[in-house]
Amino acid sequence: RARGLPPCGAPSRHASSGVGATLPPVRERPAEDEVLASVVEVVEIEEAECLLAAGGEGLFSDGELRYARERVDPARRLAARLAAKRAALRLLGGGVVEREIEVVRGSYGPPVLRLSRAAGERLRALGASRALVSLTHERSHAAALVLLLRGGR
């Protein structure tokens, strides 16, 4: 036993400071945060480099291309967006195509999926009210996680 420490299970001398204090019970998550489905998609940066060299039109929106081209690493940015589109397509299905899903980013904000009317209707038909996306990339790969959530805010 280390010097000055109470035996296992003994009350801590620091309970009043919060150290060793009992934590409050965990509350159940509200229904509006229920995850209906999730997909992680990984894309090679090289694929996005080829798409970018070919212009990227038809797959990416003008805004996505502009955003990527304004950055030092456009292929990485597009690869992450391609991964997000593919993940969303796997979740939505129903004839939705890549062009109907756009990954937008606000100033200093997290990425957001902007869906076409048809893609939004498909989302609601699946019982979801919104989708969340998280993007990441490194030297050779990019990845995206997309969650379909029930409920709304």
Side-chain angles (χ1 to χ4, degrees):
R1 188 171 105 197
R3 178 180 252 170
L5 293 179
C8 292
S12 170
R13 292 180 289 143
H14 304 289
S16 62
S17 67
V19 176
T22 305
L23 297 175
V26 176
R27 288 188 234 156
E28 283 192 37
R29 190 179 340 167
E32 67 262 16
D33 289 339
E34 183 178 357
V35 176
L36 295 179
S38 64
V39 170
V40 173
E41 185 76 28
V42 179
V43 172
E44 291 185 13
I45 303 295
E46 188 175 320
E47 181 180 357
E49 288 171 342
C50 293
L51 291 170
L52 188 59
E57 287 86 14
L59 183 61
F60 298 104
S61 69
D62 292 340
E64 288 170 319
L65 290 170
R66 186 173 41 258
Y67 175 83
R69 289 178 176 143
E70 290 173 351
R71 302 300 185 271
V72 176
D73 52 357
R76 286 188 184 126
R77 305 298 175 139
L78 287 182
R81 280 154 176 72
L82 180 58
K85 288 172 180 269
R86 288 181 178 167
L89 285 175
R90 286 174 55 193
L91 290 169
L92 295 173
V96 176
V97 296
E98 287 96 345
R99 186 72 179 183
E100 294 182 274
I101 302 164
E102 183 180 17
V103 181
V104 296
R105 184 172 199 108
S107 298
Y108 305 106
V112 175
L113 291 181
R114 182 181 295 159
L115 303 176
S116 70
R117 175 175 284 165
E121 289 171 0
R122 178 68 182 155
L123 177 96
R124 288 182 291 283
L126 293 170
S129 59
R130 61 190 174 119
L132 297 180
V133 63
S134 179
L135 308 175
T136 188
H137 51 77
E138 50 88 42
R139 278 194 317 244
S140 61
H141 292 86
L145 165 68
V146 176
L147 302 174
L148 295 187
L149 301 176
R150 175 176 302 166
R153 54 177 168 153

